[in-house]
Amino acid sequence: MKKIIPIFAFVFFCAFNSLGQLEDSFPEMAGITLTDKEMSVPTDTKGEYTLIGLAYSKKAEDDLKTWFQPIYNEYVREAAGGLVPDMGADINVVFVPMFTGIKRGASSSAIKKMKTGIDEKLHPHVLVYSGKMGDYKEALDFEKKDTPYFFVIDEDGKIIYATSGRFSTKKLNEIDELVGGYN
């Protein structure tokens, strides 16, 4: 019975969620983490489920930050000796501030500010993208510049869930229920 609910949730979200192109592959996005490591999503996350949060304006970035602590607590937090028991689904987390157009030149100074303004525990999970917006905007159906967008991709890099806006417990529960049904 437990597996029926997540499967129903998946069908419901596929039918009614208009963000992104559900079941399409997430477009390749490369950048540098706040730990100065190169990362490319979904290539570097293949084989695992991944939650990706994207923002391409200051206002959207502020709303993106509302997700940091709840997502850290649910999916990232570690205790001495390993992962905290009963933390929910096993999922990668990648927050992506996007620097496009004229803002690309400001990415270096923004990275320095982020390194001091974001908890160090989240640094490996923040991927700074600096490049063109066009392909991503179309492929992921970005409509509102001042809104962060969130996608869950499966082990093969296909989008299985999409939402936008500030954090809410309801959205977290939807993600957890959906991803928990696949693990």
Side-chain angles (χ1 to χ4, degrees), residues 16-178:
F16 294 103
N17 201 327
S18 64
L19 295 173
Q21 306 298 321
L22 292 178
E23 292 301 312
D24 284 351
S25 293
F26 189 86
E28 198 67 35
M29 180 176 285
I32 303 291
T33 68
L34 293 184
T35 56
D36 299 319
K37 293 185 178 172
E38 291 184 19
M39 177 188 255
S40 186
V41 176
T43 297
D44 292 336
T45 62
K46 286 267 187 193
E48 301 176 287
Y49 287 86
T50 304
L51 169 64
I52 304 165
L54 304 169
Y56 62 102
S57 75
K58 177 66 176 142
K59 169 77 169 99
E61 187 179 326
D62 291 343
D63 285 350
L64 179 76
K65 289 178 183 178
T66 66
W67 289 75
F68 285 3
Q69 194 63 47
I71 293 299
Y72 175 81
N73 289 342
E74 185 72 14
Y75 300 121
V76 180
R77 179 176 45 147
E78 291 183 320
L83 293 175
V84 176
D86 250 355
M87 282 181 40
D90 185 19
I91 184 171
N92 287 315
V93 176
V94 182
F95 295 107
V96 185
M98 300 176 77
F99 293 88
T100 62
I102 198 163
K103 295 177 189 171
R104 288 167 60 180
S107 64
S108 294
S109 62
I111 289 172
K112 289 177 187 173
K113 285 182 183 178
M114 283 187 270
K115 283 183 177 182
T116 60
I118 295 175
D119 189 324
E120 284 187 31
K121 296 177 283 192
L122 288 170
H123 286 194
H125 303 279
V126 177
L127 174 69
V128 179
Y129 169 79
S130 183
K132 295 181 180 182
M133 172 63 77
D135 293 340
Y136 298 109
K137 192 170 186 173
E138 185 176 320
L140 299 173
D141 199 19
F142 290 160
E143 292 293 324
K144 301 173 187 167
K145 177 182 176 185
D146 293 336
T147 301
Y149 293 86
F150 297 87
F151 302 91
V152 175
I153 59 174
D154 68 11
E155 299 106 326
D156 299 317
K158 292 196 183 298
I159 299 169
I160 60 169
Y161 176 83
T163 191
S164 64
R166 295 179 63 82
F167 172 81
S168 75
T169 302
K170 180 181 181 228
K171 291 174 188 175
L172 179 63
N173 288 341
E174 291 170 352
I175 292 167
D176 198 40
E177 188 173 315
L178 180 64

